[in-house]
Amino acid sequence: MLGMESRTVDAMRKGTNIVLLNLLWLIGCIPVITIGPSTAAMFSVIRDWEDGDDSVFRSYLRAFKSSLKNGWSGTVWLVVISVFLVDLLFFYQIGGALKIPLISITGIMLLVTLLAGTFMFPLLAHQKLTGVKLLKQSFIYAFTHASSSIAVLLLWVAAGTAVYVMPALLLVIIVPMSMAIFKFYLKLGDPVPQ
């Protein structure tokens, strides 16, 4: 009986930690320019959880401070994705012979950018890469493990669809999705030496 109670307490603690980390991530994303550092900090906490440290606030605040220096690559990546999405919406509205080629080229560039960034935050949190090294390694990682990168994109599409249908899910869905991505990353290993 005591074993069942301790498992229940562990499950409740893990669930509470997930919700707290998700809320900290949302608060960290309120100034939109800090989405990259906030996401990098969230992945750092998830990495700490893998190592056995189950703290949330202390780990997140420490990771957020250090991510303010090197987590901006993620924000730049998100801005580039946003530009491609706005371009696609604009090209969809225009008429004429250029519509299809412009949409095709922009769509391919968006897909490559999305794939290249699928494992950016786990690389940032786990290997502590920054700048051009991070972007290069993320690009190599994504295309040496293309099927996993596509699976991660499909997970994010599913999560985005769920949040679109029920916006309250944003309070609890980001951290479990990120944990799944980090598990993907850990199982795949390092594709190339740095």
Side-chain angles (χ1 to χ4, degrees), residues 7-150:
R7 283 188 296 222
T8 304
V9 169
D10 283 344
M12 290 175 64
R13 184 176 60 241
K14 287 178 184 175
T16 304
N17 285 347
I18 287 171
V19 171
L20 287 174
L21 182 58
N22 210 104
L23 290 173
L24 286 171
W25 176 80
L26 281 171
I27 292 168
C29 290
I30 288 175
V32 176
I33 61 169
T34 60
I35 290 174
S38 183
T39 306
M42 176 187 58
F43 273 97
S44 293
V45 172
I46 291 169
R47 182 204 60 226
D48 291 348
W49 288 351
E50 289 290 323
D51 295 338
D53 179 10
D54 67 348
S55 69
V56 177
F57 289 105
R58 184 184 59 225
S59 294
Y60 182 82
L61 293 176
R62 182 176 11 97
F64 189 79
K65 279 184 187 178
S66 70
S67 295
L68 282 174
K69 296 175 187 168
N70 57 18
W72 298 105
S73 302
T75 301
V76 170
W77 177 70
L78 292 171
V79 167
V80 170
I81 289 171
S82 299
V83 167
F84 283 139
L85 286 172
V86 169
D87 286 349
L88 276 176
L89 291 174
F90 175 73
F91 294 149
Y92 184 73
Q93 299 298 320
I94 66 170
L98 286 177
K99 180 177 183 174
I100 300 299
L102 288 173
I103 289 175
S104 300
I105 292 168
T106 307
I108 290 169
M109 291 170 59
L110 174 64
L111 183 62
V112 168
T113 305
L114 285 169
L115 286 172
T118 52
F119 291 108
M120 180 184 295
F121 291 107
L123 283 166
L124 182 64
H126 191 66
Q127 295 185 7
K128 304 231 188 296
L129 298 175
T130 59
V132 175
K133 259 186 143 176
L134 173 66
L135 296 175
K136 177 183 165 191
Q137 188 75 0
S138 181
F139 187 83
I140 292 169
Y141 205 93
F143 290 99
T144 55
H145 299 297
S147 59
S148 295
S149 296
I150 291 169

